[in-house]
Amino acid sequence: MISELEMGKAESELELGLGLSLGGGTAAKIGKPGGGGAWGERGRLLTAKDFPSVGSKRAADSASHAGASPPRSSQVVGWPPIGSHRMNSLAAKSAREEEEAGKKKVKDDEPKDVNKKVQVGFIKVNMDGVAIGRKVDLNAHSSYENLAQTLEDMFFRGNPGTIGLTGQFTKPLRLLDGSSEFVLTYEDKEGDWMLVGDVPWRMFITSVKRLRVMKTSEANGLAARHQESNERQRK
Amino acid sequence: MNYFPDEVIEHVFDFVTSHKDRNSISLVCKSWFKIERYSRQNVFIGNCYSISPERLLRRFPCFKSLTLKGKPHFADFNLVPHGWGGFVQPWIEALARSRVGLEELRLKRMVVTDEGLELLSRSFVNFKSLVLVSCEGFSTDGLASIASNCRHLRDLDLQENEIDDHRGQWLSCFPETCTSVVTLNFACLEGETNLVALERLVARSPNLRSLKLNRAVPLDALARLMACAPQIVDLGVGSYEDEQDSESCLKLQAAIRKCTSLRSLSGFLEAAPHCLSAFHPVCHNLTSLNLSYAAEIHGSHLIKLIEHCKKLQRLWILDSIGDKGLEVVASTCKELQELRVFPTDLHGGGNTAVTEDGLVAISAGCPKLHSILYFCQQMTNAALITVARNCPNFIRFRLCILEPHKPDHVTSQPLDEGFGAIVQACKNLKRLSVSGLLTDQVFLYIGMFATQLEMLSIAFAGDTDKGMLYVLNGCKKMRKLEIRDSPFGDAALLADVNKYETMRSLWMSSCEVTLGGCKRLARKAPWLNVEIINENDNNRMEENGYEGRQKVDKLYLYRTVVGTRVDAPPFVWIL
């Protein structure tokens, strides 16, 4: 159906001459010369397993060609038809409930369902030097490599129509291994900024509040802080 | 009429305000066309790509208010990729170069930039009103330009936009001399707000009628703001988070009691339930209540609030209110005209969700109901038939059953008969969204009975091309047709090409139309822009040999007088 599920079609970035390889080179490359809109933007909605694959038929076909990152064939894009502001509001509520369930806080009159799936929702991403941020749906990603790929597509392969997001950055990016000009960082629920990639993915998506593509030169000391806040978290 | 001087005719035209009527007037004769042209104050452009700013200015040199819409409706649900289009920049630039005395700009689903906002703020001395709905691409810096430079700013109304919040001082950019603000809505901003600047602005704005705060305004600040603006008519309370501070609560209650003009309430993003009671004294005056973001409030508290709202005309609520809650609405809100019930649980199986019973209760209890948007888990034909009988006055009927293809949960039949009853009974129906298990039959009914229908949204419905053909042939007033995940293909698309000249646009995604079919359409109708949006395949569609038969992911076509647009991104292919 939509591109997210056709990510198995690895397209080489001939236009920009990039030979991208992330963390081992087995990750599927998503060729989207038009910008990472499909992943990038607002939303993939989780829905039921009880969806027949009418809409996702084509998706299911291409899903079988998928590379390292498993696509979610049960997701139907843009359904139910609810605007992203509302989706975010619901996601925020769900995240709060999960958090409180985890902390074993008791609220008098709220129905609680600890087993409810967490609707993580859309996370804002800003990049140093770019005025306008974007949003990315963490539900649509299954690993750090996925996420890094999406962000690179979003910020470094933007289409000409987007003001301010294209151009200067043509070097291949390695957001995760610290070897490029930029690193990926995130702010967690406690307000600390940390390097992305240090904790298991599942733990990351429940604690991330927003993302920032930061200049490596400014990211010094983040690793150290990460240690401290880890200890704080274990209190 | 021909013997009256132009000024007299123009004066008569001043009383004609609706766009449709003014368009009709301009067709009467050359003289009327000319007079109407020069006197048109408000221009409405439903699709920014149907015309160019230059042509707009040539036809209407004197307008004061412009409304522009960009992306198609399904962009709200992420079906339109980022960067597709809808850029307002060329419009602002063209208007700035001209001598138009722009006073009001209303944009929906467009891409706005800080540079554009700055240019806007500097180019029109009398600029008064900026309304942005579901727009994106700008930050609070742009808002700062508007605040700083628009001396006579009356309205700054930001509804559900994606605004990059730089946590700056945009509110303090309103000069001390600015006392003209009537509407200030920044509920969609995520970041912190300069409370001091906000309070000072509100205090010096005696004409302030509508104030909608964002989540960052705490309760004590809200109390002070309300105390400064007891004349407020429309209030968005922001997060309304209870701080357990009894003094704040008392101050708030005192302030609320003074707001005797309050008619519309919204916000409550993080409200704890027991705070709602502070508003009970003003509930009897409320005509509009939007609790659809109040995810933290339990159904019972919502009900307690609504029980006081006897004059309510518009209610937006979450399905946590339940069928029981809707029964309370039905017995309390006899003036209700518009109801929207949004889902809280997208995974299905929520026990507080609403069902067909709630819908039936509302239809039975609220005789003035004419617009409904209802999300639910289940529906029956019987319920819809009852609703149709109770409420033949629907103008807008949008039902969204969360699970695609879900049949009548009692009979396991498709919901054709239910929707059929709705379109047959509701002779004034202008907008319809269908859902659940539906065959071609429902479209036969729609084509036959929905004579006034202007907008139709179809998802996961129908069996064959006949379904779409019934609609295209039957609904003479159709303007916007949007279809997703339904088995309609080239035969339906190509049957009557001239139909699209009478419509604003057609959207089809994940249907059965092929590239070959779209190409044929584009050839037959050069006055249409036929856009293929294919994020992955891009130009690969040409390369493989199955070109003609390859299915098109997303098709968006619209009539235009200015041909192919030049700002399309690479993943949009305009045939």
mmCIF file of all heavy atoms in Angstrom, chain A residues 1 3 34 38 42-43 51 55 77-79 82 85-87 93 96 109 126 131 133-134, chain B residues 77-78 82 161 164 166 292 295-296 298 301 343 346 402 404 484-485 510 535-536 553 571:
data_model
loop_
_atom_site.group_PDB
_atom_site.id
_atom_site.type_symbol
_atom_site.label_atom_id
_atom_site.label_comp_id
_atom_site.label_asym_id
_atom_site.label_seq_id
_atom_site.Cartn_x
_atom_site.Cartn_y
_atom_site.Cartn_z
ATOM 1 N N MET A 1 0.821 -1.201 0.000
ATOM 2 C CA MET A 1 0.000 0.000 0.000
ATOM 3 C C MET A 1 0.856 1.251 0.000
ATOM 4 O O MET A 1 0.937 1.954 -0.975
ATOM 5 C CB MET A 1 -0.888 -0.023 1.232
ATOM 6 C CG MET A 1 -1.845 1.120 1.258
ATOM 7 S SD MET A 1 -3.170 0.685 2.340
ATOM 8 C CE MET A 1 -3.149 1.924 3.515
ATOM 9 N N SER A 3 4.561 3.309 1.019
ATOM 10 C CA SER A 3 5.994 3.060 0.916
ATOM 11 C C SER A 3 6.628 2.419 2.123
ATOM 12 O O SER A 3 7.564 1.673 2.011
ATOM 13 C CB SER A 3 6.697 4.368 0.641
ATOM 14 O OG SER A 3 6.268 5.295 1.596
ATOM 15 N N GLY A 34 12.246 11.628 -3.020
ATOM 16 C CA GLY A 34 11.323 12.721 -2.765
ATOM 17 C C GLY A 34 11.257 13.144 -1.316
ATOM 18 O O GLY A 34 10.405 13.888 -0.928
ATOM 19 N N ALA A 38 7.124 9.364 3.806
ATOM 20 C CA ALA A 38 6.329 8.208 4.200
ATOM 21 C C ALA A 38 6.593 7.819 5.633
ATOM 22 O O ALA A 38 5.693 7.602 6.410
ATOM 23 C CB ALA A 38 6.629 7.037 3.294
ATOM 24 N N ARG A 42 3.727 12.149 10.074
ATOM 25 C CA ARG A 42 3.002 12.055 11.325
ATOM 26 C C ARG A 42 2.640 10.623 11.628
ATOM 27 O O ARG A 42 2.984 10.125 12.641
ATOM 28 C CB ARG A 42 1.736 12.879 11.280
ATOM 29 C CG ARG A 42 2.086 14.332 11.451
ATOM 30 C CD ARG A 42 1.909 14.983 10.217
ATOM 31 N NE ARG A 42 1.903 16.422 10.241
ATOM 32 C CZ ARG A 42 0.983 17.068 9.608
ATOM 33 N NH1 ARG A 42 0.004 16.412 9.045
ATOM 34 N NH2 ARG A 42 1.026 18.340 9.541
ATOM 35 N N GLY A 43 1.977 9.986 10.710
ATOM 36 C CA GLY A 43 1.588 8.827 11.405
ATOM 37 C C GLY A 43 1.262 7.570 10.804
ATOM 38 O O GLY A 43 0.591 7.414 9.850
ATOM 39 N N PHE A 51 -7.733 -6.711 10.612
ATOM 40 C CA PHE A 51 -7.928 -6.071 9.326
ATOM 41 C C PHE A 51 -7.676 -7.060 8.218
ATOM 42 O O PHE A 51 -6.592 -7.585 8.113
ATOM 43 C CB PHE A 51 -6.899 -4.960 9.136
ATOM 44 C CG PHE A 51 -7.346 -3.681 9.745
ATOM 45 C CD1 PHE A 51 -7.969 -3.668 10.967
ATOM 46 C CD2 PHE A 51 -7.164 -2.502 9.084
ATOM 47 C CE1 PHE A 51 -8.392 -2.490 11.531
ATOM 48 C CE2 PHE A 51 -7.589 -1.313 9.637
ATOM 49 C CZ PHE A 51 -8.186 -1.301 10.845
ATOM 50 N N GLY A 55 -6.602 -3.375 1.852
ATOM 51 C CA GLY A 55 -5.758 -2.218 1.592
ATOM 52 C C GLY A 55 -4.307 -2.585 1.598
ATOM 53 O O GLY A 55 -3.502 -2.059 0.865
ATOM 54 N N VAL A 77 -2.320 2.780 7.073
ATOM 55 C CA VAL A 77 -1.993 4.188 7.160
ATOM 56 C C VAL A 77 -3.239 5.045 7.220
ATOM 57 O O VAL A 77 -4.210 4.800 6.514
ATOM 58 C CB VAL A 77 -1.173 4.603 5.923
ATOM 59 C CG1 VAL A 77 -0.807 6.069 6.003
ATOM 60 C CG2 VAL A 77 0.067 3.746 5.814
ATOM 61 N N GLY A 78 -3.201 6.040 8.079
ATOM 62 C CA GLY A 78 -4.261 7.024 8.076
ATOM 63 C C GLY A 78 -5.627 6.497 8.488
ATOM 64 O O GLY A 78 -6.654 7.033 8.095
ATOM 65 N N TRP A 79 -5.636 5.434 9.269
ATOM 66 C CA TRP A 79 -6.931 4.916 9.715
ATOM 67 C C TRP A 79 -6.852 4.612 11.194
ATOM 68 O O TRP A 79 -5.882 4.037 11.632
ATOM 69 C CB TRP A 79 -7.306 3.652 8.942
ATOM 70 C CG TRP A 79 -8.703 3.224 9.207
ATOM 71 C CD1 TRP A 79 -9.130 2.276 10.118
ATOM 72 C CD2 TRP A 79 -9.882 3.792 8.627
ATOM 73 N NE1 TRP A 79 -10.494 2.222 10.117
ATOM 74 C CE2 TRP A 79 -10.981 3.142 9.212
ATOM 75 C CE3 TRP A 79 -10.107 4.776 7.676
ATOM 76 C CZ2 TRP A 79 -12.298 3.454 8.856
ATOM 77 C CZ3 TRP A 79 -11.408 5.072 7.334
ATOM 78 C CH2 TRP A 79 -12.494 4.416 7.920
ATOM 79 N N ILE A 82 -8.361 10.251 11.968
ATOM 80 C CA ILE A 82 -8.276 11.226 13.048
ATOM 81 C C ILE A 82 -7.048 12.090 12.811
ATOM 82 O O ILE A 82 -5.993 11.576 12.486
ATOM 83 C CB ILE A 82 -8.120 10.512 14.405
ATOM 84 C CG1 ILE A 82 -9.314 9.606 14.636
ATOM 85 C CG2 ILE A 82 -7.993 11.510 15.536
ATOM 86 C CD1 ILE A 82 -9.141 8.765 15.870
ATOM 87 N N HIS A 85 -3.197 15.994 15.559
ATOM 88 C CA HIS A 85 -3.211 16.614 16.883
ATOM 89 C C HIS A 85 -3.931 15.732 17.882
ATOM 90 O O HIS A 85 -3.520 15.583 19.025
ATOM 91 C CB HIS A 85 -3.883 17.991 16.817
ATOM 92 C CG HIS A 85 -2.895 19.095 16.616
ATOM 93 N ND1 HIS A 85 -2.566 19.987 17.602
ATOM 94 C CD2 HIS A 85 -2.141 19.411 15.555
ATOM 95 C CE1 HIS A 85 -1.661 20.839 17.138
ATOM 96 N NE2 HIS A 85 -1.386 20.511 15.901
ATOM 97 N N ARG A 86 -5.030 15.143 17.441
ATOM 98 C CA ARG A 86 -5.771 14.251 18.322
ATOM 99 C C ARG A 86 -4.993 12.988 18.602
ATOM 100 O O ARG A 86 -4.978 12.499 19.733
ATOM 101 C CB ARG A 86 -7.088 13.836 17.658
ATOM 102 C CG ARG A 86 -8.097 14.873 17.795
ATOM 103 C CD ARG A 86 -9.452 14.461 17.317
ATOM 104 N NE ARG A 86 -10.128 15.695 17.008
ATOM 105 C CZ ARG A 86 -10.564 16.520 17.944
ATOM 106 N NH1 ARG A 86 -10.437 16.206 19.208
ATOM 107 N NH2 ARG A 86 -11.116 17.655 17.601
ATOM 108 N N MET A 87 -4.350 12.463 17.577
ATOM 109 C CA MET A 87 -3.567 11.247 17.754
ATOM 110 C C MET A 87 -2.494 11.477 18.805
ATOM 111 O O MET A 87 -2.258 10.632 19.663
ATOM 112 C CB MET A 87 -2.878 10.861 16.438
ATOM 113 C CG MET A 87 -3.804 10.418 15.341
ATOM 114 S SD MET A 87 -4.786 8.988 15.796
ATOM 115 C CE MET A 87 -3.527 7.924 16.407
ATOM 116 N N LYS A 93 -1.658 10.480 26.358
ATOM 117 C CA LYS A 93 -2.415 9.927 27.478
ATOM 118 C C LYS A 93 -2.002 8.496 27.744
ATOM 119 O O LYS A 93 -1.771 8.089 28.878
ATOM 120 C CB LYS A 93 -3.907 9.974 27.169
ATOM 121 C CG LYS A 93 -4.736 9.354 28.278
ATOM 122 C CD LYS A 93 -6.149 9.020 27.842
ATOM 123 C CE LYS A 93 -6.899 8.359 28.993
ATOM 124 N NZ LYS A 93 -8.029 7.575 28.568
ATOM 125 N N ARG A 96 1.298 8.286 29.379
ATOM 126 C CA ARG A 96 1.224 8.649 30.795
ATOM 127 C C ARG A 96 0.683 7.482 31.612
ATOM 128 O O ARG A 96 1.167 7.196 32.693
ATOM 129 C CB ARG A 96 0.314 9.859 30.977
ATOM 130 C CG ARG A 96 1.031 11.176 30.957
ATOM 131 C CD ARG A 96 0.154 12.263 31.551
ATOM 132 N NE ARG A 96 -1.073 12.463 30.813
ATOM 133 C CZ ARG A 96 -1.170 13.252 29.743
ATOM 134 N NH1 ARG A 96 -0.127 13.911 29.312
ATOM 135 N NH2 ARG A 96 -2.317 13.392 29.124
ATOM 136 N N ASP A 109 -10.015 7.516 40.150
ATOM 137 C CA ASP A 109 -11.148 7.170 39.296
ATOM 138 C C ASP A 109 -10.795 6.950 37.830
ATOM 139 O O ASP A 109 -11.603 7.153 36.959
ATOM 140 C CB ASP A 109 -12.202 8.275 39.398
ATOM 141 C CG ASP A 109 -11.545 9.637 39.292
ATOM 142 O OD1 ASP A 109 -10.347 9.663 38.967
ATOM 143 O OD2 ASP A 109 -12.203 10.632 39.557
ATOM 144 N N ASN A 126 14.262 17.956 15.840
ATOM 145 C CA ASN A 126 14.875 19.187 15.363
ATOM 146 C C ASN A 126 16.312 18.910 14.984
ATOM 147 O O ASN A 126 16.954 18.030 15.551
ATOM 148 C CB ASN A 126 14.836 20.266 16.448
ATOM 149 C CG ASN A 126 13.473 20.868 16.558
ATOM 150 O OD1 ASN A 126 12.605 20.325 17.224
ATOM 151 N ND2 ASN A 126 13.252 21.973 15.872
ATOM 152 N N ALA A 131 15.585 25.540 10.750
ATOM 153 C CA ALA A 131 14.624 26.323 11.528
ATOM 154 C C ALA A 131 13.404 25.518 11.961
ATOM 155 O O ALA A 131 12.948 25.624 13.094
ATOM 156 C CB ALA A 131 14.185 27.528 10.718
ATOM 157 N N GLY A 133 11.291 22.115 12.630
ATOM 158 C CA GLY A 133 11.444 20.710 12.953
ATOM 159 C C GLY A 133 10.440 19.854 12.217
ATOM 160 O O GLY A 133 9.563 20.349 11.515
ATOM 161 N N ARG A 134 10.609 18.554 12.373
ATOM 162 C CA ARG A 134 9.681 17.611 11.761
ATOM 163 C C ARG A 134 9.154 16.682 12.843
ATOM 164 O O ARG A 134 9.550 16.786 14.006
ATOM 165 C CB ARG A 134 10.410 16.800 10.675
ATOM 166 C CG ARG A 134 10.913 17.626 9.500
ATOM 167 C CD ARG A 134 9.814 17.968 8.549
ATOM 168 N NE ARG A 134 9.201 16.788 7.998
ATOM 169 C CZ ARG A 134 9.648 16.144 6.914
ATOM 170 N NH1 ARG A 134 10.714 16.565 6.262
ATOM 171 N NH2 ARG A 134 9.037 15.070 6.478
ATOM 172 N N PHE B 77 -4.873 12.908 7.524
ATOM 173 C CA PHE B 77 -4.622 11.563 8.029
ATOM 174 C C PHE B 77 -3.329 10.993 7.463
ATOM 175 O O PHE B 77 -3.182 9.786 7.310
ATOM 176 C CB PHE B 77 -5.811 10.653 7.696
ATOM 177 C CG PHE B 77 -7.132 11.337 7.889
ATOM 178 C CD1 PHE B 77 -8.060 11.376 6.871
ATOM 179 C CD2 PHE B 77 -7.440 11.971 9.094
ATOM 180 C CE1 PHE B 77 -9.281 12.031 7.040
ATOM 181 C CE2 PHE B 77 -8.645 12.626 9.276
ATOM 182 C CZ PHE B 77 -9.565 12.656 8.241
ATOM 183 N N ASN B 78 -2.427 11.877 7.118
ATOM 184 C CA ASN B 78 -1.091 11.476 6.682
ATOM 185 C C ASN B 78 -1.049 10.720 5.369
ATOM 186 O O ASN B 78 -0.102 9.992 5.115
ATOM 187 C CB ASN B 78 -0.411 10.624 7.757
ATOM 188 C CG ASN B 78 -0.438 11.310 9.086
ATOM 189 O OD1 ASN B 78 0.008 12.431 9.212
ATOM 190 N ND2 ASN B 78 -1.011 10.655 10.068
ATOM 191 N N HIS B 82 4.906 14.555 2.959
ATOM 192 C CA HIS B 82 5.489 15.851 3.243
ATOM 193 C C HIS B 82 6.107 16.437 1.980
ATOM 194 O O HIS B 82 6.775 15.763 1.230
ATOM 195 C CB HIS B 82 6.568 15.670 4.316
ATOM 196 C CG HIS B 82 7.188 16.949 4.743
ATOM 197 N ND1 HIS B 82 6.691 17.697 5.779
ATOM 198 C CD2 HIS B 82 8.252 17.621 4.261
ATOM 199 C CE1 HIS B 82 7.429 18.774 5.922
ATOM 200 N NE2 HIS B 82 8.389 18.759 5.021
ATOM 201 N N ASN B 161 -2.345 23.711 14.063
ATOM 202 C CA ASN B 161 -1.204 23.801 13.161
ATOM 203 C C ASN B 161 0.008 23.107 13.758
ATOM 204 O O ASN B 161 0.093 22.899 14.954
ATOM 205 C CB ASN B 161 -0.839 25.276 12.941
ATOM 206 C CG ASN B 161 -1.989 26.061 12.380
ATOM 207 O OD1 ASN B 161 -2.357 25.907 11.229
ATOM 208 N ND2 ASN B 161 -2.579 26.911 13.221
ATOM 209 N N ASP B 164 6.587 25.145 14.935
ATOM 210 C CA ASP B 164 7.825 24.917 15.656
ATOM 211 C C ASP B 164 7.911 25.959 16.767
ATOM 212 O O ASP B 164 8.023 27.150 16.503
ATOM 213 C CB ASP B 164 8.991 25.093 14.682
ATOM 214 C CG ASP B 164 9.937 23.932 14.761
ATOM 215 O OD1 ASP B 164 9.523 22.823 14.379
ATOM 216 O OD2 ASP B 164 11.060 24.116 15.248
ATOM 217 N N HIS B 166 9.760 27.880 19.262
ATOM 218 C CA HIS B 166 11.118 28.219 19.677
ATOM 219 C C HIS B 166 11.142 28.805 21.081
ATOM 220 O O HIS B 166 12.148 29.340 21.516
ATOM 221 C CB HIS B 166 11.741 29.220 18.681
ATOM 222 C CG HIS B 166 11.982 28.611 17.344
ATOM 223 N ND1 HIS B 166 12.267 29.355 16.221
ATOM 224 C CD2 HIS B 166 11.983 27.322 16.931
ATOM 225 C CE1 HIS B 166 12.430 28.553 15.192
ATOM 226 N NE2 HIS B 166 12.257 27.313 15.584
ATOM 227 N N SER B 292 -13.088 17.421 23.576
ATOM 228 C CA SER B 292 -12.539 16.285 22.829
ATOM 229 C C SER B 292 -11.061 16.058 23.049
ATOM 230 O O SER B 292 -10.503 15.087 22.574
ATOM 231 C CB SER B 292 -12.820 16.460 21.337
ATOM 232 O OG SER B 292 -12.174 17.623 20.858
ATOM 233 N N ALA B 295 -8.771 14.022 27.592
ATOM 234 C CA ALA B 295 -8.629 12.574 27.710
ATOM 235 C C ALA B 295 -8.527 12.109 29.146
ATOM 236 O O ALA B 295 -8.684 10.927 29.434
ATOM 237 C CB ALA B 295 -7.407 12.132 26.917
ATOM 238 N N GLU B 296 -8.236 13.028 30.040
ATOM 239 C CA GLU B 296 -8.034 12.624 31.426
ATOM 240 C C GLU B 296 -9.329 12.563 32.225
ATOM 241 O O GLU B 296 -9.342 12.112 33.359
ATOM 242 C CB GLU B 296 -7.100 13.627 32.124
ATOM 243 C CG GLU B 296 -5.745 13.768 31.473
ATOM 244 C CD GLU B 296 -4.888 12.540 31.645
ATOM 245 O OE1 GLU B 296 -5.091 11.815 32.638
ATOM 246 O OE2 GLU B 296 -4.032 12.276 30.793
ATOM 247 N N HIS B 298 -12.946 11.389 33.258
ATOM 248 C CA HIS B 298 -13.790 10.218 33.184
ATOM 249 C C HIS B 298 -15.212 10.583 32.781
ATOM 250 O O HIS B 298 -15.674 11.693 33.053
ATOM 251 C CB HIS B 298 -13.803 9.552 34.567
ATOM 252 C CG HIS B 298 -14.146 8.109 34.497
ATOM 253 N ND1 HIS B 298 -14.468 7.366 35.603
ATOM 254 C CD2 HIS B 298 -14.227 7.256 33.460
ATOM 255 C CE1 HIS B 298 -14.725 6.117 35.237
ATOM 256 N NE2 HIS B 298 -14.583 6.034 33.943
ATOM 257 N N HIS B 301 -17.725 12.515 35.128
ATOM 258 C CA HIS B 301 -17.513 13.940 35.352
ATOM 259 C C HIS B 301 -17.972 14.752 34.161
ATOM 260 O O HIS B 301 -18.474 15.870 34.308
ATOM 261 C CB HIS B 301 -16.039 14.205 35.650
ATOM 262 C CG HIS B 301 -15.573 13.505 36.884
ATOM 263 N ND1 HIS B 301 -15.771 14.009 38.142
ATOM 264 C CD2 HIS B 301 -14.948 12.321 37.050
ATOM 265 C CE1 HIS B 301 -15.280 13.167 39.032
ATOM 266 N NE2 HIS B 301 -14.775 12.136 38.396
ATOM 267 N N PRO B 343 -12.932 8.886 19.239
ATOM 268 C CA PRO B 343 -12.547 7.659 19.939
ATOM 269 C C PRO B 343 -11.392 7.896 20.895
ATOM 270 O O PRO B 343 -10.532 8.746 20.656
ATOM 271 C CB PRO B 343 -12.105 6.745 18.797
ATOM 272 C CG PRO B 343 -11.581 7.671 17.756
ATOM 273 C CD PRO B 343 -12.358 8.943 17.878
ATOM 274 N N LEU B 346 -7.956 3.282 20.158
ATOM 275 C CA LEU B 346 -7.890 2.940 18.746
ATOM 276 C C LEU B 346 -7.681 1.458 18.514
ATOM 277 O O LEU B 346 -7.723 1.000 17.382
ATOM 278 C CB LEU B 346 -6.757 3.724 18.074
ATOM 279 C CG LEU B 346 -6.896 5.233 18.205
ATOM 280 C CD1 LEU B 346 -5.695 5.913 17.597
ATOM 281 C CD2 LEU B 346 -8.164 5.708 17.537
ATOM 282 N N LEU B 402 -14.801 1.902 13.475
ATOM 283 C CA LEU B 402 -13.345 1.812 13.554
ATOM 284 C C LEU B 402 -12.749 0.657 12.777
ATOM 285 O O LEU B 402 -11.661 0.778 12.219
ATOM 286 C CB LEU B 402 -12.906 1.759 15.022
ATOM 287 C CG LEU B 402 -13.115 3.091 15.735
ATOM 288 C CD1 LEU B 402 -12.989 2.941 17.237
ATOM 289 C CD2 LEU B 402 -12.118 4.120 15.237
ATOM 290 N N PRO B 404 -12.500 -1.544 9.604
ATOM 291 C CA PRO B 404 -12.945 -1.581 8.210
ATOM 292 C C PRO B 404 -13.717 -2.853 7.897
ATOM 293 O O PRO B 404 -13.431 -3.902 8.469
ATOM 294 C CB PRO B 404 -11.631 -1.551 7.424
ATOM 295 C CG PRO B 404 -10.650 -0.940 8.342
ATOM 296 C CD PRO B 404 -11.059 -1.379 9.720
ATOM 297 N N ARG B 484 -10.656 5.778 -0.620
ATOM 298 C CA ARG B 484 -9.445 5.019 -0.324
ATOM 299 C C ARG B 484 -9.780 3.552 -0.161
ATOM 300 O O ARG B 484 -10.854 3.207 0.322
ATOM 301 C CB ARG B 484 -8.742 5.565 0.917
ATOM 302 C CG ARG B 484 -9.554 5.467 2.175
ATOM 303 C CD ARG B 484 -8.718 5.699 3.409
ATOM 304 N NE ARG B 484 -7.773 4.613 3.606
ATOM 305 C CZ ARG B 484 -6.855 4.583 4.568
ATOM 306 N NH1 ARG B 484 -6.748 5.593 5.390
ATOM 307 N NH2 ARG B 484 -6.038 3.558 4.697
ATOM 308 N N ASP B 485 -8.826 2.712 -0.574
ATOM 309 C CA ASP B 485 -8.948 1.269 -0.346
ATOM 310 C C ASP B 485 -10.295 0.705 -0.797
ATOM 311 O O ASP B 485 -10.939 -0.042 -0.048
ATOM 312 C CB ASP B 485 -8.727 0.978 1.148
ATOM 313 C CG ASP B 485 -7.297 1.301 1.548
ATOM 314 O OD1 ASP B 485 -6.437 0.430 1.343
ATOM 315 O OD2 ASP B 485 -7.045 2.435 2.011
ATOM 316 N N SER B 510 -5.069 3.689 -3.084
ATOM 317 C CA SER B 510 -5.164 2.246 -2.886
ATOM 318 C C SER B 510 -6.427 1.688 -3.505
ATOM 319 O O SER B 510 -7.108 0.842 -2.916
ATOM 320 C CB SER B 510 -5.110 1.894 -1.400
ATOM 321 O OG SER B 510 -3.953 2.413 -0.823
ATOM 322 N N GLU B 535 5.389 7.599 -3.708
ATOM 323 C CA GLU B 535 6.621 7.932 -3.006
ATOM 324 C C GLU B 535 7.796 7.064 -3.329
ATOM 325 O O GLU B 535 8.929 7.509 -3.365
ATOM 326 C CB GLU B 535 6.366 7.884 -1.507
ATOM 327 C CG GLU B 535 5.433 8.975 -1.070
ATOM 328 C CD GLU B 535 4.782 8.608 0.225
ATOM 329 O OE1 GLU B 535 5.395 8.872 1.252
ATOM 330 O OE2 GLU B 535 3.684 8.023 0.194
ATOM 331 N N ASN B 536 7.551 5.772 -3.525
ATOM 332 C CA ASN B 536 8.700 4.912 -3.750
ATOM 333 C C ASN B 536 9.051 4.753 -5.215
ATOM 334 O O ASN B 536 10.169 4.901 -5.614
ATOM 335 C CB ASN B 536 8.442 3.526 -3.181
ATOM 336 C CG ASN B 536 8.658 3.552 -1.712
ATOM 337 O OD1 ASN B 536 9.533 4.226 -1.240
ATOM 338 N ND2 ASN B 536 7.822 2.838 -1.002
ATOM 339 N N ASP B 553 -0.793 4.262 -6.766
ATOM 340 C CA ASP B 553 -0.966 4.331 -5.324
ATOM 341 C C ASP B 553 -1.959 5.407 -4.917
ATOM 342 O O ASP B 553 -2.901 5.175 -4.201
ATOM 343 C CB ASP B 553 0.398 4.660 -4.716
ATOM 344 C CG ASP B 553 0.671 3.798 -3.523
ATOM 345 O OD1 ASP B 553 -0.131 2.884 -3.264
ATOM 346 O OD2 ASP B 553 1.684 4.045 -2.852
ATOM 347 N N PHE B 571 8.276 13.244 -6.245
ATOM 348 C CA PHE B 571 7.428 12.061 -6.124
ATOM 349 C C PHE B 571 6.011 12.303 -6.619
ATOM 350 O O PHE B 571 5.164 11.428 -6.546
ATOM 351 C CB PHE B 571 7.401 11.541 -4.679
ATOM 352 C CG PHE B 571 6.926 12.550 -3.672
ATOM 353 C CD1 PHE B 571 5.569 12.748 -3.440
ATOM 354 C CD2 PHE B 571 7.834 13.299 -2.950
ATOM 355 C CE1 PHE B 571 5.133 13.679 -2.516
ATOM 356 C CE2 PHE B 571 7.417 14.222 -2.022
ATOM 357 C CZ PHE B 571 6.066 14.410 -1.810
#
